[in-house]
Amino acid sequence: LCFTGSLVRTFTPFYFLVEPVDVLSVRGASVVMNCSAYCETPPKIEWKKDGTFLNLESDDRRQLLPDGSLLINSVVHSKHNKPDEGYYQCVATVESLGTIVSRTAKLTVAGLPMFSSHPESSSVYRGNTALLNCEVNVDLAPYVSPGGGWEQDPQPVALDERVLKLPSGALIISNATETDGGLYRCVIESGGAPKYSDEAELKVLPDPEVPQDLVFVRQPSSLTKVTGQSAVFPCVAAGFPAPYIRWTRNEEELITEGHERFLLLAGGSLAVSGVTEEDVGTYSCIAESGNETIEAQAELSVQVPPAFLKQPANIYAHESMDIVFECEVTGKPTPTVKWVKNGDMVIPSDYFKIVKEHNLQVLGLVKSDEGFYQCIAENDVGNAQAGAQLIILDHDVAIPTLPPTSLTSATNDHLAPATTGPLPSAPRDVVATLVSTRFIRLTWRTPVSDPQGDNLTYSIFYTKEGINRERVENTSRAGETQVTIQNLMPETVYVFRVVAQNRHGAGESSVPLKVATQPEVQLPGPAPNIRAYASSPTSVTVTWETPLSGNGEIQNYKLYYMEKGQDTEQDVDVAGLSHTINGLKKYTEYSFRVVAYNKHGPGVSTQDVVVRTLSDVPSAPPQNLTLEVRNSKSIMLHWQPPPAGTHSGQITGYKIRYRKVSRKSDVTESIGGTQLFQLIEGLERGTEYSFRVAALTVNGTGPATDWVSTETFESDLDETRVPEVPSSLHVRPLVTSIVVSWTPPENQNIVVRGYAIGYGIGSPHAQTVKVDYKQRYYTIENLDPSSHYVITLKAFNNVGEGIPLYESAVTRPHSDTSEVDLFVINAPYTPVPDPSPMMPPVGVQASILSHDTIRITWADNSLPKNQKITDARYYTVRWKTNIPANTKYK
């Protein structure tokens, strides 16, 4: 393709057809490391070992084959001389085009065959599984097809569904019979004379008369495999009856029957073929015999060789441009990435940078940057390479707009139109109008030879003084005569020049302009070795060291702190290298950080350090202490912990103190656990006791609740059945409430722990409330006026609810006149010789019957013990007189 007499070069296919792979060999063998590269011009092939080129011309054992492969005759390997073992890499070069390198392949030379363990004589019950160990040195095991073979008396052992050889070389014989008894030995055949292990006798015992304990003979071991490999988890158990073995993965039953990749082997071992990342997890071998079950676990980890999610693409560019080769890789462990240009490692610098983890950015291209660039990814289980070509075009050749892969069929339609005519002269008066630490703004005047309407654009070329690698920044729109160059280095001299372009091409360059960026203010770095420790339940001491200061000494520090879980940070100014923060919450986590200040301002913050203040005794008592009389000699206490934020540490228990109400100085203590209840036993009958509870931490006892009192029963009442029906139920309807009063069941020998009141319009099941066993009345509030309510009352205990009593009542209608607030003074009169103290009536209501009549109703709140509602009671109602009508009364 031609443009103003210049040829647009196309990208040259240049790649490896075959790359070397890892090889395992033995001493004296011959090895071929395969390699073949393709290019229109046949490439020159060379080899590197451990990063150094091999001189094959003078090598009598190693030679280059016609296709580029490397032949190593009679591998040399001894304790002190290992010239052939190492890492090999194929290097292909086409003169005047470039160089590419293959992946790296490892040649491993195995040592002499040796047994790392020999089989040992053992016995097995008939029907059980036998295990004979035999392991070969690890480096040789893959070469000799793990562990060689086995012989019995001394014929070769045939492997089948019942007889299995593990990758380690061990032999498993399941469902053992008498014919399996005999002498066994392990054999290694590695090309020379076979080697034999020690002999071991296997005895097959008849069934025992009694069950035998279930034990593992061989447990599975954790494995790390590469994708595509097979994994075998050995699992052998012994016992009588003969054990049954099943497997789970991540606690889910593993179904092996009919599965393509999971296979249950002889004796219960598990094989996983073609492992994938989805197979990672915990594998559990579960052996069952009779009523016994034992379990052994092993982990499967899967590694993945590097693979490319995005490979570098071929790039066309002009000199001074910036380009990016993209490279995205995957693998496990996460691969490392390095870049190679024409076979040489790319060293990151100001102009060659690794961006977005793996991409290579080249800034300010020069002609020598042309060539082949390769992204090489490597992890523990492999490496891979992918490359692309960079072609730098002359400035009078436009960059094709088609993707590089399509350039072989590109035509002139995809290039900028070529015309001839006058080019612009040099831009005038280039000046730096704004200079900072990391950017410079340049302005200029149009060239003298600027014809009207020429729509000039400009390219600004710049470089560090003394560096011949220029970078370019283009103006964003035609006619623009200023630009801001960013991402510069502080306190550095740069050289700038400006070139104008019209439709005919680029004109003359302006005179170079030198500009120095400003020095950057250096702020303090983070204070080293910040530490924090709790010095009390409410204070933390923080210490640190002096940071390496930039311009000027450290003037002071600011210590920031915040309660963990909050979002509001507090701070304090500190002159020295330590400070104690007081007034913190007890047993609470706080985070701390330090910022140093110099004359230029705040520096870099330290990382947060987290510390918990020390614990203390609780600062509040437990909540909601309730008492339940169980019988004549015991009372159950229930409570809740102190409120959140008042524990001041870990609650370790609760201290209970109790006493007879009649003898307040006689106090008994009981220390309980962390449960929120305690049964106090051994009390006296018919006696009133007071209780209080305090919470404990390792530091001591916190404040106690108020005293709460209750009385034990006079006798041990019956709680094997529900209470009988209450002896009476009375309801008094008001406008929006109903006063309910009752008397307890006549049978006082059954425990009553409370009363359940149900109510609702037309049905008593809409709402239910429960009250204490001592209560004799309740006011149902928030009812609808003029509504028919059904009410039920049941006594209950820990066995359940008794037979209900039913009543119904119609609430009163709303009155059109003002409501009346009424206070009633109770003056009891009763013929009882020793009257009980009276409480004020409850539920007092007043309703207007006429212009001069008010009806007052109330409920009793203080029936003496054993006194029925029908007993004589007298009430006095007092009110003010001589008050005009239409008046609010009290």
Side-chain angles (χ1 to χ4, degrees):
L1 300 176
C2 296
F3 179 65
T4 63
S6 297
L7 181 67
V8 176
R9 291 173 289 139
T10 57
F11 295 111
T12 303
F14 186 17
Y15 53 86
F16 287 101
L17 296 168
V18 178
E19 294 185 75
V21 296
D22 293 350
V23 175
L24 176 67
S25 179
V26 292
R27 186 177 65 187
S30 294
V31 171
V32 174
M33 307 293 286
N34 290 310
C35 178
S36 176
Y38 170 79
C39 188
E40 294 174 356
T41 301
K44 174 187 177 183
I45 300 295
E46 297 176 283
W47 281 87
K48 284 183 176 182
K49 177 182 178 291
D50 298 331
T52 302
F53 279 105
L54 293 174
N55 183 2
L56 299 178
E57 293 182 2
S58 60
D59 197 321
D60 57 352
R61 286 192 310 106
R62 292 180 284 206
Q63 66 185 85
L64 190 67
L65 298 179
D67 67 345
S69 299
L70 177 67
L71 170 63
I72 306 174
N73 286 306
S74 186
V75 169
V76 174
H77 192 78
S78 65
K79 184 175 182 181
H80 301 293
N81 185 27
K82 303 177 181 179
D84 294 330
E85 193 170 61
Y87 292 89
Y88 289 80
Q89 189 176 40
C90 180
V91 181
T93 303
V94 174
E95 200 66 40
S96 75
L97 182 64
T99 298
I100 57 175
V101 296
S102 73
R103 70 180 299 277
T104 302
K106 184 180 181 182
L107 170 60
T108 303
V109 182
L112 295 173
M114 294 172 53
F115 291 103
S116 54
S117 72
H118 291 263
E120 297 180 356
S121 296
S122 60
S123 58
V124 61
Y125 288 115
R126 187 173 54 198
N128 268 225
T129 300
L131 174 71
L132 293 167
N133 283 312
C134 176
E135 296 186 2
V136 181
N137 49 312
V138 176
D139 57 350
L140 186 68
Y143 185 77
V144 295
S145 303
W150 282 85
E151 293 182 353
Q152 177 193 8
D153 295 332
Q155 298 301 316
V157 174
L159 303 179
D160 53 28
E161 293 183 354
R162 194 178 65 86
V163 182
L164 165 73
K165 183 164 64 64
L166 295 177
S168 65
L171 186 69
I172 292 179
I173 304 172
S174 64
N175 194 19
T177 65
E178 286 79 358
T179 59
D180 293 319
L183 293 175
Y184 286 81
R185 65 180 181 179
C186 181
V187 58
I188 297 177
E189 296 176 355
S190 58
K195 283 199 170 189
Y196 297 98
S197 71
D198 297 342
E199 284 190 333
E201 184 180 8
L202 176 65
K203 293 182 178 179
V204 180
L205 307 177
D207 293 347
E209 296 181 359
V210 295
Q212 300 295 308
D213 288 341
L214 182 60
V215 294
F216 278 118
V217 177
R218 179 72 174 265
Q219 299 187 32
S221 301
S222 293
L223 298 175
T224 298
K225 292 292 181 179
V226 180
T227 50
Q229 291 183 339
S230 293
V232 175
F233 289 109
C235 188
V236 179
F240 185 78
Y244 165 75
I245 287 181
R246 58 187 177 89
W247 286 84
T248 63
R249 182 180 65 180
N250 299 329
E251 299 183 356
E252 292 186 4
E253 200 74 23
L254 197 60
I255 307 300
T256 56
E257 188 173 351
H259 199 284
E260 294 180 352
R261 296 191 303 108
F262 291 94
L263 178 64
L264 198 61
L265 304 176
S269 298
L270 177 69
V272 185
S273 61
V275 298
T276 67
E277 287 188 88
E278 287 71 30
D279 297 327
V280 168
T282 301
Y283 289 75
S284 298
C285 173
I286 302 170
E288 298 171 343
S289 173
N291 295 325
E292 281 191 278
T293 300
I294 55 177
E295 181 175 345
Q297 293 183 337
E299 298 289 332
L300 175 61
S301 303
V302 176
Q303 296 181 319
V304 184
F308 290 97
L309 299 176
K310 179 180 286 186
Q311 298 190 18
N314 295 330
I315 295 178
Y316 279 120
H318 287 142
E319 283 189 277
S320 303
M321 286 178 57
D322 300 340
I323 62 163
V324 173
F325 283 112
E326 294 185 321
C327 181
E328 190 175 341
V329 299
T330 183
K332 189 176 182 180
T334 302
T336 58
V337 169
K338 60 185 178 183
W339 284 85
V340 169
K341 179 212 168 191
N342 287 332
D344 294 325
M345 189 79 68
V346 174
I347 307 300
S349 65
D350 290 344
Y351 297 96
F352 287 83
K353 298 182 177 181
I354 304 299
V355 296
K356 294 185 179 178
E357 292 190 53
H358 299 146
N359 296 344
L360 175 66
Q361 182 182 46
V362 186
L363 304 176
L365 289 173
V366 295
K367 193 69 176 175
S368 61
D369 290 332
E370 273 197 347
F372 287 87
Y373 289 79
Q374 289 174 277
C375 175
I376 298 179
E378 182 177 13
N379 66 9
D380 293 344
V381 290
N383 63 92
Q385 59 82 24
Q389 186 180 5
L390 170 64
I391 293 179
I392 297 179
L393 301 172
D394 294 336
H395 278 287
D396 58 353
V397 179
I399 296 174
T401 57
L402 283 183
T405 52
S406 304
L407 286 175
T408 53
S409 60
T411 67
N412 285 325
D413 296 339
H414 303 105
L415 305 177
T419 61
T420 59
L423 299 174
S425 58
R428 297 173 292 166
D429 302 333
V430 179
V431 294
T433 58
L434 181 61
V435 179
S436 181
T437 58
R438 292 183 178 270
F439 69 87
I440 291 176
R441 181 183 298 160
L442 298 176
T443 61
W444 56 89
R445 293 171 59 204
T446 56
V448 173
S449 63
D450 178 20
Q452 290 295 320
D454 217 8
N455 289 329
L456 294 183
T457 58
Y458 297 89
S459 294
I460 298 84
F461 297 87
Y462 63 100
T463 182
K464 289 182 184 178
E465 188 178 33
I467 303 295
N468 62 358
R469 182 182 286 272
E470 277 190 321
R471 299 183 62 190
V472 63
E473 186 83 25
N474 296 311
T475 53
S476 57
R477 57 182 181 273
E480 189 174 16
T481 58
Q482 72 170 23
V483 70
T484 298
I485 308 295
Q486 299 184 2
N487 299 319
L488 303 177
M489 298 297 294
E491 208 168 359
T492 303
V493 177
Y494 287 88
V495 181
F496 299 88
R497 62 187 184 90
V498 184
V499 175
Q501 291 115 7
N502 62 13
R503 65 180 181 273
H504 305 300
E508 297 179 19
S509 170
S510 68
V511 176
L513 172 68
K514 290 184 180 182
V515 184
T517 53
Q518 296 176 354
E520 190 165 59
V521 173
Q522 194 164 356
L523 297 169
N529 298 326
I530 179 172
R531 293 183 174 89
Y533 61 91
S535 46
S536 80
T538 58
S539 62
V540 169
T541 298
V542 186
T543 64
W544 57 91
E545 295 176 9
T546 305
L548 296 175
S549 179
N551 298 341
E553 296 182 357
I554 302 297
Q555 294 179 338
N556 71 296
Y557 300 90
K558 195 177 285 287
L559 172 61
Y560 294 88
Y561 63 99
M562 180 171 62
E563 183 182 341
K564 204 74 182 291
Q566 302 296 314
D567 53 8
T568 303
E569 202 172 38
Q570 302 181 67
D571 61 81
V572 60
D573 290 322
V574 182
L577 297 176
S578 67
H579 187 75
T580 299
I581 304 289
N582 296 304
L584 303 177
K585 294 182 181 178
K586 300 176 180 180
Y587 200 64
T588 301
E589 279 192 329
Y590 287 86
S591 62
F592 300 86
R593 64 185 182 91
V594 172
V595 174
Y597 282 70
N598 64 10
K599 63 183 179 182
H600 302 295
V604 180
S605 172
T606 64
Q607 295 290 325
D608 286 358
V609 293
V610 178
V611 68
R612 187 190 292 274
T613 52
L614 300 178
S615 62
D616 199 359
V617 299
S619 57
Q623 306 177 90
N624 304 328
L625 173 60
T626 60
L627 309 178
E628 178 187 331
V629 180
R630 282 295 177 91
N631 51 46
S632 64
K633 292 186 177 182
S634 65
I635 296 175
M636 174 67 80
L637 284 68
H638 289 271
W639 63 88
Q640 292 298 315
T646 66
H647 293 192
S648 304
Q650 196 77 30
I651 300 295
T652 58
Y654 292 90
K655 179 183 289 186
I656 302 165
R657 295 168 66 91
Y658 60 97
R659 66 190 183 195
K660 295 180 186 176
V661 172
S662 60
R663 299 184 63 180
K664 294 187 177 181
S665 61
D666 187 8
V667 176
T668 304
E669 285 191 1
S670 172
I671 304 296
T674 56
Q675 77 274 5
L676 302 176
F677 59 90
Q678 184 70 37
L679 180 66
I680 304 297
E681 300 179 288
L683 305 178
E684 296 182 11
R685 301 172 184 271
T687 304
E688 189 173 8
Y689 286 88
S690 294
F691 298 84
R692 68 180 183 183
V693 181
L696 304 173
T697 64
V698 294
N699 304 88
T701 307
T705 62
D706 292 334
W707 290 100
V708 179
S709 301
T710 192
E711 184 179 335
T712 56
F713 296 144
E714 287 284 356
S715 58
D716 287 330
L717 302 180
D718 181 9
E719 200 171 3
T720 62
R721 48 189 174 145
V722 299
E724 295 184 356
V725 64
S727 53
S728 69
L729 171 62
H730 298 271
V731 296
R732 183 172 297 279
L734 305 173
V735 178
T736 59
S737 61
I738 297 175
V739 180
V740 182
S741 58
W742 63 88
T743 54
E746 291 187 1
N747 185 352
Q748 300 289 310
N749 295 320
I750 302 176
V751 174
V752 175
R753 299 208 175 271
Y755 295 91
I757 303 167
Y759 62 93
I761 297 178
S763 169
H765 306 301
Q767 300 284 342
T768 301
V769 293
K770 291 188 175 182
V771 299
D772 187 75
Y773 74 98
K774 291 183 179 180
Q775 198 157 329
R776 297 290 181 268
Y777 73 93
Y778 182 78
T779 302
I780 305 173
E781 307 279 4
N782 302 318
L783 304 180
D784 295 332
S786 303
S787 299
H788 180 268
Y789 283 88
V790 178
I791 300 159
T792 181
L793 176 74
K794 293 178 281 188
F796 67 85
N797 57 21
N798 289 333
V799 177
E801 295 179 341
I803 299 172
L805 273 181
Y806 289 87
E807 279 287 357
S808 63
V810 179
T811 50
R812 298 181 181 278
H814 267 305
S815 173
D816 293 333
T817 57
S818 302
E819 289 191 3
V820 175
D821 296 328
L822 189 69
F823 296 125
V824 178
I825 300 172
N826 173 235
Y829 173 80
T830 175
V832 179
D834 184 17
S836 301
M838 292 292 186
M839 299 293 290
V842 296
V844 178
Q845 298 278 340
S847 54
I848 300 173
L849 299 185
S850 66
H851 71 283
D852 60 356
T853 307
I854 293 175
R855 171 182 287 154
I856 304 161
T857 59
W858 63 89
D860 204 328
N861 190 22
S862 56
L863 281 175
K865 194 172 183 180
N866 299 325
Q867 183 174 328
K868 296 181 180 180
I869 196 70
T870 55
D871 292 344
R873 295 181 72 77
Y874 298 86
Y875 303 86
T876 299
V877 183
R878 297 179 181 170
W879 67 94
K880 294 182 180 180
T881 58
N882 300 323
I883 297 177
N886 196 25
T887 302
K888 188 172 183 179
Y889 283 80
K890 286 190 177 180

